[in-house]
Amino acid sequence: MAGVIIDGVGSYIPTRIVKNEDFLNADFYQENGEPFPNSNEVIIQKFEKITGIKERRYVEPGQTTSDIAAIAAKNAIANSSVTGEDLDYIIVAHNFGNLDKNGNRTDMMPSLAARVKEQLAITNPNTTCFDLIFGCPGWLQGAIQATQMIRCGDAKAVMVIGAETLSNIVDDHDRDSMIFADGAGATIFTASNTTGGYISQCSRTDAQEELNYLAMGKSFKPDVAESPSRFIKMKGRKIYEYALVQVASAIKCAIDKAGLGLDDISKVLIHQANAKMDEAILLKLFKLYGVKRDAFELMPMTIEWLGNSSVATIPTMLDLLQQGKIEGHSLNKGDKVVFASVGAGMHINAMVYEM
């Protein structure tokens, strides 16, 4: 089988910064339709303590998911050894397509991947485009599929993009809306005869009671709830309890498949969903291996200033690391890295990769 490496990385971080204090005048409601007894100041303080989020990025009005996906894609091509015409596939992972904030409508036809191809002005008819819906682990699942296509000889170069504009699909009256953000990250996977690259992966789906831990639902504000619009709704405690056990197990599965131990891993890049949850997952992983590591040294974080941009968090973090833009962290040749994510489905995946 062909070896597979990441040949280029690019991202797009929206320029509109939304800080926690910008929510002080928000009109938050509980799930039962009643206002919160606490002030927004108290709600925001508790939110920041749990999630680690101080600010997030939103797209500008009129900027779509496919727009920012294309920008990230252009940056990835510029950082790679291939051109757009060399790509065999373009895979765009997202969950809602292009969104209309005012009408809460999604647009997935034509596919976002096809729209990215058009914006990149790629004329090669053999550059095949498709979208992937896999919750927050979508980019990583796309990376797994790209790797499989290259290893079996069906492709030599595959672009995988994770892009989302969640600011257009959140319920402004739900305090969980403060978690979500916008952004895009792109990676180009290519066949290679050099050392390093893809080593192993593990994936799983739990779709019984876990199915609706993250789903679409009505606004918590009674008068808005009467509209046909639907918004992201999540059962935060359930997700935390589920992720704590299953994500750590998936990471261990991938590391074990690679024939490695946790001491062989230089960095763990976890989907930026919640700082407290990610830290708990890492501590659980330490327990599974019976080792102690420096969590800060092992796990870079961007959630404090970028929030949760779903499918875009890991590729964006990878790009920032490659550029040396995450203080205290770097990636070097030979480093073995774990990518891991969890999200709606519920889906989990993990990959071990050597730089």
Side-chain angles (χ1 to χ4, degrees):
M1 290 185 180
V4 182
I5 62 169
I6 297 174
D7 188 85
V9 186
S11 64
Y12 175 73
I13 297 172
T15 56
R16 183 181 165 201
I17 300 173
V18 179
K19 298 181 179 293
N20 285 352
E21 50 263 39
D22 293 329
F23 292 91
L24 284 171
N25 295 320
D27 192 16
F28 289 135
Y29 285 78
Q30 301 176 73
E31 188 174 358
N32 62 7
E34 296 292 327
F36 279 95
N38 299 326
S39 68
N40 280 2
E41 185 176 16
V42 171
I43 291 172
I44 291 169
Q45 287 174 349
K46 290 182 178 179
F47 167 84
E48 185 173 321
K49 183 178 180 180
I50 293 171
T51 66
I53 299 172
K54 295 182 178 180
E55 61 185 47
R56 72 286 294 144
R57 301 300 180 101
Y58 288 173
V59 294
E60 297 295 334
Q63 206 172 25
T64 67
T65 304
S66 58
D67 288 339
I68 65 174
I71 297 171
K74 289 176 183 176
N75 291 335
I77 291 172
N79 294 325
S80 76
S81 65
V82 303
T83 70
E85 300 294 336
D86 296 324
L87 297 174
D88 297 297
Y89 291 91
I90 298 174
I91 304 171
V92 175
H94 62 90
N95 293 292
F96 302 103
N98 285 345
L99 288 159
D100 176 0
K101 173 69 172 177
N102 296 324
N104 196 236
R105 296 288 298 274
T106 65
D107 180 2
M108 299 189 192
M109 186 180 72
S111 71
L112 268 59
R115 298 182 204 212
V116 168
K117 179 178 179 178
E118 187 271 337
Q119 290 195 48
L120 295 177
I122 296 172
T123 59
N124 180 0
N126 295 317
T127 302
T128 305
C129 304
F130 65 91
D131 292 359
L132 193 154
I133 311 297
F134 199 76
C136 292
W139 170 82
L140 187 47
Q141 193 62 27
I144 291 169
Q145 291 188 10
T147 298
Q148 292 169 341
M149 288 189 288
I150 293 171
R151 294 182 80 205
C152 76
D154 186 52
K156 292 183 178 179
V158 181
M159 175 178 283
V160 183
I161 306 168
E164 207 75 85
T165 54
L166 298 179
S167 62
N168 291 323
I169 198 69
V170 293
D171 177 9
D172 294 332
H173 306 290
D174 183 346
R175 61 184 175 179
D176 286 342
S177 65
M178 294 187 287
I179 292 175
F180 299 108
D182 305 338
T187 45
I188 299 174
F189 291 82
T190 60
S192 173
N193 292 320
T194 62
T195 58
Y198 167 85
I199 301 175
S200 63
Q201 67 89 15
C202 275
S203 301
R204 66 180 290 157
T205 295
D206 295 286
Q208 299 304 313
E209 66 173 287
E210 304 88 357
L211 181 66
N212 293 311
Y213 286 176
L214 266 163
M216 303 302 290
K218 297 180 180 180
S219 172
F220 285 170
K221 188 174 182 181
D223 58 338
V224 179
E226 297 174 2
S227 77
S229 297
R230 293 293 180 270
F231 308 90
I232 302 173
K233 296 294 172 182
M234 66 179 188
K235 299 178 181 178
R237 172 53 59 180
K238 291 287 188 180
I239 294 172
Y240 180 93
E241 294 171 351
Y242 168 81
L244 178 60
V245 176
Q246 304 303 346
V247 176
S249 296
I251 293 173
K252 187 175 188 301
C253 169
I255 294 174
D256 290 349
K257 275 189 177 181
L260 303 171
L262 187 59
D263 289 338
D264 298 309
I265 304 301
S266 299
K267 298 293 177 187
V268 177
L269 275 59
I270 298 181
H271 163 54
Q272 301 292 281
N274 176 313
K276 185 176 180 180
M277 185 177 81
D278 287 356
E279 290 165 4
I281 289 170
L282 199 60
L283 292 177
K284 178 67 174 179
L285 186 64
F286 292 168
K287 288 184 179 180
L288 290 177
Y289 278 99
V291 301
K292 290 185 178 180
R293 295 279 302 271
D294 183 333
F296 173 81
E297 183 272 336
L298 189 61
M299 184 176 69
M301 300 287 285
T302 59
I303 194 168
E304 179 180 334
W305 62 286
L306 291 182
N308 176 358
S309 57
S310 184
V311 293
T313 64
I314 297 178
T316 298
M317 189 190 309
L318 179 60
D319 187 35
L320 292 171
L321 283 168
Q322 296 278 51
Q323 297 181 55
K325 292 185 176 180
I326 299 181
E327 186 177 354
H329 294 277
S330 62
L331 291 175
N332 304 294
K333 183 178 175 61
D335 282 351
K336 295 178 179 63
V337 179
V338 170
F339 305 120
S341 188
V342 58
M346 293 290 291
H347 303 302
I348 295 175
N349 46 28
M351 176 189 286
V352 180
Y353 181 89
E354 182 178 342
M355 303 303 299

